[in-house]
Amino acid sequence: MTIRLLPPDVANAIAAGEVVERPASVVKELIENALDAGARRISVDVHGAGRTLIRVADDGAGMSAGELPLAFLRHATSKLAAREDLDAIGTLGFRGEALASIAAVSDVECRSGAARLRVRGGQVVEEGPAAPAPGTVVEVRDLFASTPARLKFMKSDAVEGAACLQVASSYALLFPAVRFTVAIGERRSFSTPGDGDAAAAAAAVLGASVGRELIGVAADGEVAVSGLVSQPRVHRSSREAILLAVNHRPVSSRALTFALEECYRGRLERGRHPIAVLDVAVPLEDVDVNVHPAKREVKFKSEGAVFSALQRAVRAALQETRPYEIRLDSRDPEPWPRAPAGHDAPALLLDAVTAVEVASSAPLRPLGQAGDGYLVAESPEGVLLIDQHAAHERVLYNRFLARLRGAQGLSQPLLVPAVVDLEPAQVAVMREHDASLRSAGFVVEEFGSRQARVEAAPAETPAGRAGEALSATLAALAEGRGDGAVEAAAASLACHSAVRFGDPLDLSEQRRLLQELEAAPESVTCPHGRPTRLLLAWPDLKRHFRRNY
């Protein structure tokens, strides 16, 4: 077999395969170039799922007539000058072969400054002057027409179009100071204000209803974290709504995704995932972005420091979580009654909300029990429905977690000790965590090789459930590791100690549970992520019953 150099067009097509995997790859590279050029306005138009046309126009720094042909040559770039520059890359499209790779598998026309260039299959076919205009316009047509084998691997138009939209959405969310206008097919998908307001950009891209449920994240330091995360009451069935970035570059990172989702442990049910747009600012010399051809992955000098910084920032933000709400549909076939002279309905509604937030420290007032397991209570914000089991779980979880970590709790001796059958792993963790179990309130001794005798249990645990509570706690400790195991154990112990759904509670018991719930941190959900309460807000009630006047 003879060794020989590949023809340039074949080499370019192979190199293009590393960068241009699908139409969304083209959208990504062109947006990155526009952002690196300092654009403040970027428009993206995609037709035929990106096969027919991808057009990206920006108002950034353009190119001169002499520079334009160079931009389509392999390894030509304005962003790197020396080998050392690779150790501190601060731009997005740094690799230098994006335009060359795109042009190798499509028909590209680029207009910048007062120059115009057209490249097809890697060869210049037209070059000349153009009407002077700010910024750059790149039009990519007939993508993969010269490589039909690649077309066979493209998915449906809907899927490819959605991928293009996802890419554009990511950059619009990460760069709220840039005005993005994105159209997929004949329909405009979204337009962001470009005023630097991350919440406004999120509302434009994700929808106003989602935007209202996002909490700002801001933490300074050597590793800074900024962005938005969702209230626990808003979640998704997949991780597709999680956008993570490092120095404004979208990345795929299992470690950072895990760090984020750990912050929602106990706030979301298993199998549910948050919505997040987070950017981690890391010193350029502490991150390597040149580990993947499409720049999807990064390598950190100190992954643990980045992991911890993200968790601290998100957990601090989640302290502002609010309860789940019933949102009454305000649409009505008849017009709303006119407000009194000198006032309008929105102003009255705002006044009502403001008044509620002045009064938010007032205690909950129990009104009774409904449906066997729901407490009904009145609060300054509105009427609350409370799942008594979930609420008590949250209260006890916080208490037991502190005890398993060393705080001393109260025990109640059992009149008849409970004998529990254990697996070998449970016996091992019982020995290992003896001090923590005693702090929680258990007094246990081994009873044979595979059994334990419970002589006392936490004061909050019903005597009849002491054995199953210990067994569940030990199982959780055996299945997990580190702090996660302790949290799981506290959740299991709380679940087996809390009042059951359907247990009758008299008014004094209801009042005590409500007081404990209000005092409990992170009380919006139980430790398994289920909501503890549902709010029907006074403004909604007033609007529904037409009392806003």
Side-chain angles (χ1 to χ4, degrees), residues 401-466:
L401 183 61
R403 294 177 187 174
L404 288 172
R405 288 172 172 167
Q408 190 61 45
L410 298 176
S411 294
Q412 58 170 343
L414 302 182
L415 291 176
V416 179
V419 178
V420 185
D421 294 327
L422 300 177
E423 297 294 328
Q426 291 175 298
V427 175
V429 297
M430 183 175 69
R431 296 168 180 165
E432 179 184 353
H433 293 275
D434 178 69
S436 296
L437 291 171
R438 288 183 177 276
S439 295
F442 283 108
V443 176
V444 185
E445 64 177 20
E446 291 188 42
F447 191 63
S449 60
R450 296 278 297 273
Q451 289 182 320
R453 183 166 60 192
V454 185
E455 297 184 347
E460 299 85 353
T461 305
R465 300 185 212 156

Side-chain angles (χ1 to χ4, degrees), residues 69-309:
L70 292 175
F72 286 85
L73 295 180
R74 183 71 55 195
H75 305 306
T77 181
S78 63
K79 302 159 190 175
L80 296 175
R83 167 64 183 84
E84 293 74 21
D85 295 340
L86 287 171
D87 297 327
I89 295 168
T91 55
L92 296 170
F94 66 87
R95 301 188 72 240
E97 70 266 30
L99 288 177
S101 296
I102 294 169
V105 291
S106 65
D107 187 337
V108 180
E109 180 177 307
C110 180
R111 300 186 299 276
S112 189
R116 171 179 173 271
L117 185 74
R118 185 177 176 191
V119 183
R120 181 190 299 147
Q123 302 297 317
V124 176
V125 294
E126 291 183 42
E127 184 176 4
T136 301
V137 178
V138 180
E139 294 182 350
V140 180
R141 301 179 187 275
D142 300 328
L143 184 62
F144 300 139
S146 60
T147 54
R150 186 74 59 82
L151 288 173
K152 295 179 182 179
F153 292 94
M154 286 186 62
K155 301 185 186 302
S156 67
D157 285 3
V159 172
E160 296 295 347
C164 293
L165 178 60
Q166 180 71 23
V167 167
S169 299
S170 298
Y171 288 100
L173 291 167
L174 292 171
F175 291 84
V178 178
R179 180 175 182 179
F180 279 82
T181 302
V182 178
I184 306 296
E186 300 300 325
R187 177 180 299 179
R188 175 180 289 189
S189 299
F190 66 82
S191 180
T192 62
D195 58 1
D197 186 340
V205 175
L206 304 175
S209 60
V210 172
R212 285 193 296 267
E213 298 293 339
L214 299 179
I215 310 168
V217 177
D220 295 327
E222 186 174 358
V223 177
V225 182
S226 61
L228 302 162
V229 293
S230 59
Q231 296 271 355
R233 63 188 183 185
V234 179
H235 40 78
R236 295 289 184 264
S237 60
S238 72
R239 296 185 175 90
E240 291 182 359
I242 296 176
L243 172 59
L244 301 177
V246 175
N247 297 336
H248 285 87
R249 181 191 306 281
V251 297
S252 174
S253 170
R254 289 185 179 181
L256 294 187
T257 300
F258 180 77
L260 168 66
E261 296 204 308
E262 276 291 286
C263 297
Y264 282 85
R265 180 194 288 269
R267 293 182 170 97
L268 293 182
E269 293 184 71
R270 183 173 297 179
R272 307 300 296 182
H273 307 277
I275 300 170
V277 179
L278 291 175
D279 184 38
V280 182
V282 182
L284 297 180
E285 61 274 13
D286 290 346
V287 58
D288 183 1
V289 299
N290 197 15
V291 296
H292 189 280
K295 306 183 287 289
R296 292 196 193 100
E297 301 170 7
V298 294
K299 184 181 294 184
F300 298 107
K301 183 177 180 180
S302 177
E303 187 175 83
V306 179
F307 186 103
S308 299

Side-chain angles (χ1 to χ4, degrees), residues 2-16 74 104 121-123:
T2 304
I3 298 176
R4 59 185 179 274
L5 290 174
L6 288 171
D9 58 333
V10 177
N12 288 344
I14 292 173
R74 183 71 55 195
Q123 302 297 317

